[in-house]
Amino acid sequence: MPEIAGATKRVAKARYKEWDRCDLTYIEFATGTAVAGVTTRNICCSSEVELCRDNLKGGRARALVVNAGNSNAFTGYRGRDAVEAITRQVAAHLGCAATEVFVSSTGVIGVPLPKDKAEAGLKAAFGASVCSWQDVADTIGTTDTFAKGAKASAMVGDTRVEIIGVIKGSGMIAPDMATMLGYIFTDAAVEPAFLQQLLVEANGSTFNCITVDSDTSTSDTVLAFATGKADNTPLASFNDVGADAFASALHDVCRQLAHLVVRDGEGAQKFIEISVTGAVSDESARRIGLAIANSPLVKTAIAGEDANWGRIVMAVGKAGEPADRDRLSISFGATPVALNGLPVEGFDETPVTAHLKGQEIQIGVDIGLGSGHATVWTCDLTHGYISINADYRS
Amino acid sequence: MPEIAGATKRVAKARYKEWDRCDLTYIEFATGTAVAGVTTRNICCSSEVELCRDNLKGGRARALVVNAGNSNAFTGYRGRDAVEAITRQVAAHLGCAATEVFVSSTGVIGVPLPKDKAEAGLKAAFGASVCSWQDVADTIGTTDTFAKGAKASAMVGDTRVEIIGVIKGSGMIAPDMATMLGYIFTDAAVEPAFLQQLLVEANGSTFNCITVDSDTSTSDTVLAFATGKADNTPLASFNDVGADAFASALHDVCRQLAHLVVRDGEGAQKFIEISVTGAVSDESARRIGLAIANSPLVKTAIAGEDANWGRIVMAVGKAGEPADRDRLSISFGATPVALNGLPVEGFDETPVTAHLKGQEIQIGVDIGLGSGHATVWTCDLTHGYISINADYRS
């Protein structure tokens, strides 16, 4: 992974849980770093999310702190106290405004973040050696089974800029705005308002198009930081040279990160891509795709390697979007199994069975009504999901 | 179970699947029997559902045919042909209009109902001995693990009237209008329009308040038949003597049947009652309740006997309904675990743990905003659900 000039990373052990691993991430940014972000639409969001929203208005960031093991959600004024203590401590250390400090926490809901552990952890982080992106990706994780990162680069005029992303999340994934905790870093110079515009656009067709279990987290946050250290002419709109290339690279990193979250979905054995075409609009296609992707019956059928396309018909029908049973077509991999509302007579099950035995499943659904299309991604629903979630807190 | 005068029941083996059990139910009604019904809102509904809706306009029924093992959904014109052949055969046998014959089918989606098997099965049923309600409940079932029936009676003036209900269903349960296949029979004399009004009202707080897996079936149908053989003064509105008592008994049967479906939810080990109070309206309370009841994370926590109320907060927050994190209160059984947005300090976990080890789980959620309330019912999400549904079609 390339380094991002202007972003200095450190990790430490705050010991938010009974474990002996790093669980506090601290990243310092160069003065003038632009920041953009999208956060959960869950009404019962955490104090961290509220503070992020407030601080995003300023558009500038000097530091990011991520706590793993305790989400600090639903902890009322005591949770808020802990987050404000963290921002004060970092602001004093850096000599910056508290509103330039961004904090995220992830883990169990309903237990106030212990302020003393956070303070001691931060102090340790201030004195720690600079670490790698791998260390950051490891430290922000909780039930994740592997560290998740992605990169891309773009030419902005004559300047090559780098983009790095790290993300955590494997359950409680049905982003309605963002997903779990994701962080994107670039050395490009980008105006905050334009960075925000680009992040919102990328978010719509990446993080907002994945689902593991239809449950939307109270802590979902994706933040993008642009340090400007690449010294390109700052990007402020799509009229600027290199803006398209940068937007495309940013989208690429978001898509990679979103896919990694699905691949690490709790209990997931298969990665499922659902392409919906022929809907009345792109948004309608996305809703139909998510109805299929969230159907426990579709997800268990894929887990069982069963071409039970009847359950896909059911999911299309319950999506609440325009559809016509007698125009619907469905395929697995490259094989059509239903055309215009009828099973394909005597179709060869061999390629379908072979496709379903793989780990990358493609489902095609044509609604037959218009030109709206969308692709969404999910994973299968297995015994592993039940085992992980029936025994998480204890 | 009491008999219903004017309803004559027979079952037969159509052998829709490779099994040696009765799978075709045939019930004849006395001339003039009133009928009412509610059907699925799934857009991709079956031909049976379409025909039911058409025939309900007449308000009168002479026969009901229920096929088990094949839902005939998503089978296009061939599926429609089979249903029309059945109504013609019954109409010829009884000398009635084809529009007085109601047909339902349940089972795998996408395989046209074999017309020859239906015809032979019906012929066998015409010649079979009259059977019991237990036989009917057994014959309409598919993945159900027990036969489901309910009864109630009411005094209409000086006349005692009986109500019997049977139902099938254990997966693909998230009724948006009705649930799976349910049939209610009464000897009361009730005008079709009033019967329809009563059924819609009962449906709203019974079948439409249960969920097993958030998936809405393409075949959901509940029909109510009133033979009039009790010879009460026909009920036509709530102004009639006995109408309240009859409505209450009908509601009671619907509630019993709805609960039986949840208790037989695929893989279910626990019956969960979720009471939502303090919402801005009753409908808002119902939506919040269903968001909790459909959350895989809440359902797996209950399966694991884990008082993980943080997941309930998450589900309230994602419901899309007005809520305020800092007014939210949650209880398990009789024990409050969170009050006004904060965990109850040092609450005794003993009664909560004991409650969660039982088979009847009560979750109370107060939103703290208004006086809207609703109760919904669901079951836990277990390894059994995965096992049943990862290997259903094969």
Side-chain angles (χ1 to χ4, degrees):
Chain A
M1 287 282 201
E3 291 301 318
I4 298 294
T8 310
K9 322 172 283 294
R10 294 182 171 89
V11 295
K13 294 177 183 175
R15 298 185 198 276
Y16 291 121
K17 295 186 85 166
E18 302 274 321
W19 54 24
D20 186 41
R21 47 158 276 194
C22 288
D23 51 7
L24 184 148
T25 304
Y26 171 67
I27 305 184
E28 276 179 29
F29 300 108
T31 311
T33 291
V35 62
V38 285
T39 55
T40 185
R41 278 191 183 144
N42 193 305
I43 290 182
C44 296
C45 68
S46 66
S47 295
E48 280 82 343
V49 169
E50 291 177 336
L51 189 101
C52 262
R53 288 179 189 151
D54 287 347
N55 291 358
L56 278 168
K57 292 172 194 157
R60 301 290 168 186
R62 286 300 309 282
L64 168 68
V65 177
V66 184
N67 305 301
N70 182 324
S71 78
N72 199 32
F74 205 63
T75 55
Y77 62 89
R78 279 176 297 168
R80 182 86 189 184
D81 273 359
V83 186
E84 289 176 349
I86 290 171
T87 60
R88 275 197 308 272
Q89 189 178 354
V90 173
H93 177 70
L94 288 179
C96 70
T99 53
E100 294 177 299
V101 181
F102 291 76
V103 183
S104 300
S105 302
T106 175
V108 73
I109 295 176
V111 180
L113 190 77
K115 206 162 32 169
D116 51 340
K117 289 188 180 179
E119 285 169 352
L122 261 182
K123 208 172 158 189
F126 293 159
S129 311
V130 171
C131 70
S132 68
W133 289 117
Q134 175 74 41
D135 293 331
V136 170
D138 280 333
T139 303
I140 65 173
T142 54
T143 58
D144 305 64
T145 65
F146 57 85
K148 305 177 186 70
K151 63 176 179 175
S153 61
M155 290 305 293
V156 177
D158 296 332
T159 312
R160 178 186 161 108
V161 303
E162 307 288 346
I163 305 178
I164 290 281
V166 293
I167 200 160
K168 67 87 51 183
S170 54
M172 208 179 274
I173 303 285
D176 192 17
M177 187 64 175
T179 183
M180 299 304 291
L181 304 183
Y183 306 100
I184 296 159
F185 310 91
T186 178
D187 55 3
V190 191
E191 289 300 323
F194 188 51
L195 188 62
Q196 181 71 26
Q197 178 189 337
L198 295 180
L199 183 63
V200 167
E201 284 178 11
N203 177 58
S205 56
T206 58
F207 301 120
N208 274 4
C209 284
I210 62 170
T211 182
V212 167
D213 55 9
S214 79
D215 278 339
T216 301
S217 161
T218 47
S219 304
D220 286 350
T221 299
V222 172
L223 296 173
F225 301 94
T227 67
K229 288 294 177 188
D231 279 334
N232 56 291
T233 311
L235 297 172
S237 80
F238 275 112
N239 296 327
D240 295 329
V241 174
D244 286 331
F246 180 79
S248 167
L250 180 69
H251 187 278
D252 189 36
V253 167
C254 290
R255 187 187 46 74
Q256 289 181 58
L257 294 175
H259 286 197
L260 287 169
V261 170
V262 170
R263 284 181 197 281
D264 199 19
E266 286 171 342
Q269 291 176 336
K270 295 176 192 286
F271 179 81
I272 308 171
E273 179 172 277
I274 302 167
S275 296
V276 179
T277 54
V280 297
S281 69
D282 289 354
E283 179 56 22
S284 179
R286 190 180 77 94
R287 288 197 186 138
I288 291 170
L290 286 174
I292 298 167
N294 280 323
S295 159
L297 289 170
V298 171
K299 293 159 82 87
T300 48
I302 301 295
E305 302 180 345
D306 177 5
N308 194 324
W309 53 270
R311 295 183 181 174
I312 296 173
V313 176
M314 174 279 300
V316 171
K318 75 164 186 170
E321 293 295 319
D324 178 343
R325 186 188 64 197
D326 298 331
R327 291 178 184 219
L328 200 56
S329 298
I330 295 168
S331 60
F332 285 103
T335 314
V337 296
L339 282 177
N340 296 318
L342 281 173
V344 175
E345 291 235 35
F347 79 90
D348 183 5
E349 288 223 17
T350 316
V352 173
T353 306
H355 183 73
L356 287 171
K357 286 194 182 304
Q359 290 189 294
E360 309 271 325
I361 308 299
Q362 292 184 311
I363 298 175
V365 177
D366 191 83
I367 308 299
L369 292 181
S371 60
H373 59 92
T375 301
V376 306
W377 299 276
T378 190
C379 54
D380 55 345
L381 175 57
T382 69
H383 286 291
Y385 184 88
I386 308 291
S387 296
I388 292 167
N389 286 300
D391 198 31
Y392 173 64
R393 214 185 57 147
S394 359
Chain B
M1 288 281 201
E3 291 302 318
I4 298 294
T8 311
K9 323 172 281 293
R10 294 180 172 90
V11 295
K13 295 178 184 177
R15 299 185 197 277
Y16 290 121
K17 295 185 84 166
E18 302 275 320
W19 55 23
D20 186 42
R21 48 158 276 195
C22 287
D23 52 8
L24 185 150
T25 304
Y26 172 68
I27 305 184
E28 277 179 29
F29 300 109
T31 310
T33 291
V35 61
V38 286
T39 56
T40 184
R41 277 190 185 147
N42 193 305
I43 290 182
C44 296
C45 68
S46 68
S47 296
E48 281 81 342
V49 168
E50 292 177 335
L51 190 103
C52 261
R53 288 178 189 151
D54 288 346
N55 291 358
L56 278 168
K57 294 171 193 158
R60 300 290 169 187
R62 287 297 309 284
L64 167 70
V65 177
V66 184
N67 305 302
N70 182 324
S71 78
N72 199 33
F74 204 63
T75 54
Y77 63 88
R78 279 175 297 168
R80 182 84 189 186
D81 274 358
V83 187
E84 289 176 347
I86 289 171
T87 58
R88 276 197 306 273
Q89 189 179 354
V90 173
H93 177 70
L94 287 180
C96 70
T99 53
E100 292 177 301
V101 181
F102 291 77
V103 183
S104 298
S105 301
T106 176
V108 72
I109 294 178
V111 179
L113 190 76
K115 207 161 34 168
D116 50 340
K117 289 188 180 179
E119 286 169 351
L122 262 183
K123 208 170 158 190
F126 293 158
S129 311
V130 171
C131 70
S132 68
W133 289 116
Q134 176 73 40
D135 293 329
V136 170
D138 281 332
T139 302
I140 66 174
T142 54
T143 58
D144 305 65
T145 65
F146 56 85
K148 305 176 186 70
K151 63 177 177 177
S153 62
M155 292 305 294
V156 176
D158 296 333
T159 311
R160 177 187 163 107
V161 303
E162 307 288 347
I163 305 178
I164 289 281
V166 293
I167 200 160
K168 67 88 49 184
S170 54
M172 209 178 275
I173 303 285
D176 191 18
M177 186 66 175
T179 184
M180 299 304 289
L181 304 183
Y183 307 99
I184 296 159
F185 309 90
T186 178
D187 55 2
V190 191
E191 288 301 323
F194 189 50
L195 188 61
Q196 181 70 26
Q197 177 189 340
L198 295 180
L199 184 63
V200 167
E201 285 178 10
N203 176 58
S205 56
T206 57
F207 300 120
N208 275 4
C209 284
I210 62 170
T211 183
V212 167
D213 55 10
S214 79
D215 278 339
T216 301
S217 162
T218 47
S219 304
D220 286 350
T221 300
V222 172
L223 296 173
F225 301 93
T227 66
K229 289 294 177 188
D231 280 334
N232 56 289
T233 311
L235 298 172
S237 82
F238 275 112
N239 296 327
D240 295 328
V241 174
D244 287 330
F246 180 80
S248 168
L250 180 69
H251 188 279
D252 189 36
V253 166
C254 290
R255 186 186 47 73
Q256 288 181 60
L257 294 175
H259 286 196
L260 286 170
V261 170
V262 170
R263 283 180 196 280
D264 198 21
E266 287 171 343
Q269 290 176 335
K270 294 174 191 288
F271 179 81
I272 307 170
E273 180 172 275
I274 301 167
S275 296
V276 179
T277 53
V280 296
S281 70
D282 288 356
E283 180 55 23
S284 179
R286 189 180 76 94
R287 288 197 186 138
I288 291 169
L290 286 173
I292 299 168
N294 280 323
S295 160
L297 289 169
V298 171
K299 294 159 82 87
T300 48
I302 302 295
E305 302 179 344
D306 177 6
N308 194 325
W309 54 269
R311 295 183 181 174
I312 297 173
V313 176
M314 175 279 299
V316 171
K318 74 163 187 170
E321 293 295 319
D324 178 343
R325 186 190 63 197
D326 298 330
R327 290 179 185 217
L328 201 56
S329 298
I330 296 169
S331 60
F332 286 102
T335 315
V337 296
L339 282 177
N340 296 318
L342 282 174
V344 175
E345 290 235 38
F347 78 90
D348 182 6
E349 288 223 17
T350 316
V352 173
T353 306
H355 183 73
L356 286 171
K357 284 194 184 302
Q359 291 189 294
E360 310 270 325
I361 308 300
Q362 292 183 313
I363 298 175
V365 176
D366 191 83
I367 308 298
L369 292 181
S371 59
H373 59 92
T375 302
V376 306
W377 299 275
T378 190
C379 54
D380 55 345
L381 174 57
T382 68
H383 286 289
Y385 183 86
I386 308 290
S387 297
I388 292 167
N389 285 300
D391 197 32
Y392 172 64
R393 214 185 56 149
S394 2

